[in-house]
Amino acid sequence: MEQVEQVEQTEQSTYERGLQRLKEVDDIAGEKVIDSLADISPDLGRYVIEFGFGEIYSRPGLNLQQRELATVAALTALGTAQPQLKVHLAAALNVGLSRLEITETIMQMALYAGFPAALNGMFAAKEVFAEHDRLAA
């Protein structure tokens, strides 16, 4: 019985840590992603919070800016994850990265992922930057 309670406490703290980190990184956009899963796969939303943000994003060694640059690079290189890329482009701005740092990261992907991936990433950044400006006005 004691082991079950300990596991539940660990899972709860991982979830709470993940939810806090999600809010730090993605603000409202992250919550919208999780909410959008509630009616089809709430477990996937929980996994994103617990594993993605409670475990991976909470590890030592990289700060949130470095993690977001790596994520923007990976999603740009994939070339098949535009919705997720847009969320993380907004997160990159949210954690304090400059537009230059973001666009240079996307530019770097032209060398390793090809020009189509870099172009798609840059167009996604253009949309996210415009939305960021619109919301700030």
Side-chain angles (χ1 to χ4, degrees), residues 5-6 10 14 17 19 22-23 32 41 55 63-64 74 83 85 88 91 94 101 109-110 122 124 128:
E5 288 176 13
Q6 186 177 15
T10 302
T14 301
R17 182 174 62 240
L19 195 56
L22 175 68
K23 288 178 182 179
K32 286 181 181 179
S41 183
E55 296 288 342
N63 64 36
L64 291 178
L85 176 58
H88 284 282
N94 191 50
E101 290 168 317
M109 294 305 100
M122 205 62 79
V128 170

Side-chain angles (χ1 to χ4, degrees), residues 69 89 92-93 97-106 129:
L69 279 181
L89 287 164
L93 292 170
L97 288 165
S98 72
R99 292 176 186 209
L100 180 61
E101 290 168 317
I102 294 166
T103 56
E104 283 300 315
T105 298
I106 294 169
F129 294 166

Side-chain angles (χ1 to χ4, degrees), residues 38-84:
D39 64 344
I40 189 165
S41 183
D43 286 343
L44 183 56
R46 184 173 49 83
Y47 297 152
V48 168
I49 292 170
E50 289 176 351
F51 179 69
F53 289 88
E55 296 288 342
I56 301 300
Y57 265 79
S58 296
R59 291 177 55 81
L62 295 176
N63 64 36
L64 291 178
Q65 290 180 337
Q66 292 165 326
R67 288 185 188 284
E68 282 307 315
L69 279 181
T71 303
V72 166
L75 292 171
T76 297
L78 280 173
T80 57
Q82 290 296 98
Q84 294 80 12

